[in-house]
């Protein structure tokens, strides 16, 4: 879970550094990733749910806009981090931890 929080914060910071905040959808993604990282760090159930949504959102948007070929064509390393974030959040140990400890 700590690595997932780190990745959410880093992706939000890179979004700010690379100008993603200039786009309204990008601004929502940045804010959502930062809020999800904060929520997970403070063991809130809404943070975990938002984290899963924010982990899936960039790939879903890219798929909707560019189709299946657009997933790998533009940013394969970014896709790798998106998949890693989803895997970290949906791993059985993370789900068990969330179910037991989050309020």
């Amino acid at each position: 879970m700590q690595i997932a929080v780190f990745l959410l914060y880093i992706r939000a910071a890179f979004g700010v550094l690379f100008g993603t905040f200039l786009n309204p959808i990008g601004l929502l993604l940045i804010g959502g990733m930062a809020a999800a990282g904060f929520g997970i760090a403070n063991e809130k159930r809404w943070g975990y749910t938002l984290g899963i949504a924010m982990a899936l959102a960039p790939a879903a948007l890219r798929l909707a806009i560019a189709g299946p070929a657009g997933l790998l064509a533009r940013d394969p390393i970014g896709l790798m981090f998106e998949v890693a974030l989803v895997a970290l959040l949906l791993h059985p140990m993370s789900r068990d931890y969330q179910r037991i400890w989050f309020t």
Side-chain angles (χ1 to χ4, degrees), residues 1-99:
M1 290 292 256
Q2 291 176 347
I3 296 171
V5 170
F6 177 74
L7 283 176
L8 284 165
Y9 283 145
I10 289 295
R11 289 193 49 87
F14 281 156
V16 171
L17 286 175
F18 294 124
T20 307
F21 65 91
L22 299 174
N23 183 351
I25 294 174
L27 185 61
L28 286 174
L29 287 174
I30 291 170
M33 286 181 190
F38 179 79
I40 293 172
N42 290 300
E43 295 184 345
K44 301 294 182 189
R45 198 171 300 272
W46 62 263
Y48 181 75
T49 306
L50 183 61
I52 292 172
M54 290 297 108
L56 293 172
L61 286 171
R62 198 175 306 131
L63 184 65
I65 293 170
L71 281 177
L72 291 173
R74 183 165 176 224
D75 187 17
I77 294 176
L79 179 64
M80 182 177 63
F81 281 106
E82 292 167 9
V83 170
L85 183 58
V86 170
L88 286 168
L89 290 173
L90 294 180
H91 190 275
M93 289 178 71
S94 297
R95 293 178 57 91
D96 287 343
Y97 182 84
Q98 178 269 141
R99 188 178 67 241

